[in-house]
Amino acid sequence: PTAVLARALSGLGFTAEALPTGTGDSPGPSAERIEAAVAAARGRDAVIVATYDIAAGSTQRTLVARLVATGVPVVHLALRDPYDIARLGGRGTEPAASLATYCWTNVELRAAARVIAGRVTPQGRLPVAVRRADDPSRVLYPIGHGLGY
């Protein structure tokens, strides 16, 4: 997915570098891959980080928090469903924006690149409520919530 996204962004006129860090099926990004991603993020205009099925103890959370801590704007792309954003909350660790593709095929990734690049206006709305990970009785984003600009 990272290579497809980078190629799509490059095709839209951006300089993009793909840096795979792992998937939801693997143990998650290693400490070395997190450090490499943080180092690569420094001095960039923006960083796009894709997640897949973040669990409570996932190192994907660490990766996103460390990227946000660089001060570079971070756009989060949830590849499977919109729930990953609930695991990324926390004071000062939220990405600047979060999108859900609901899949990880090339079609969705190219569409996400066009949205991130501002070439198309996002029109999707959440078909489900996203509840807070730390308090599932509270809704973080209600059904119908959507990104716009």
Side-chain angles (χ1 to χ4, degrees):
T2 55
V4 171
L5 189 60
R7 280 194 305 272
L9 289 165
S10 293
L12 293 168
F14 294 89
T15 301
E17 177 185 351
L19 185 62
T21 57
T23 68
D25 292 336
S26 70
S30 66
E32 294 79 20
R33 286 188 176 203
I34 291 172
E35 290 306 319
V38 169
R42 290 193 176 100
R44 303 291 178 151
D45 294 326
V47 172
I48 301 169
V49 60
T51 62
Y52 178 84
D53 198 22
I54 296 178
S58 173
T59 57
Q60 291 182 84
R61 293 178 68 195
T62 304
L63 171 64
V64 176
R66 293 283 312 280
L67 290 171
V68 169
T70 66
V72 175
V74 173
V75 176
H76 167 243
L77 186 60
L79 296 181
R80 181 172 157 224
D81 55 46
Y83 303 114
D84 283 0
I85 190 63
R87 297 272 185 205
L88 299 179
R91 192 167 197 180
T93 62
E94 298 92 0
S98 185
L99 304 170
T101 62
Y102 296 94
C103 198
W104 54 87
T105 68
N106 295 356
V107 171
E108 287 85 6
L109 293 167
R110 288 192 301 265
R114 289 191 302 274
V115 168
I116 293 167
R119 300 291 163 62
V120 297
T121 301
Q123 297 180 19
R125 300 284 179 237
L126 283 174
V128 296
V130 175
R131 298 188 173 280
R132 290 179 51 143
D134 62 344
D135 182 359
S137 69
R138 295 180 58 201
V139 173
L140 183 62
Y141 296 105
I143 292 173
H145 182 81
L147 177 69
Y149 52 79

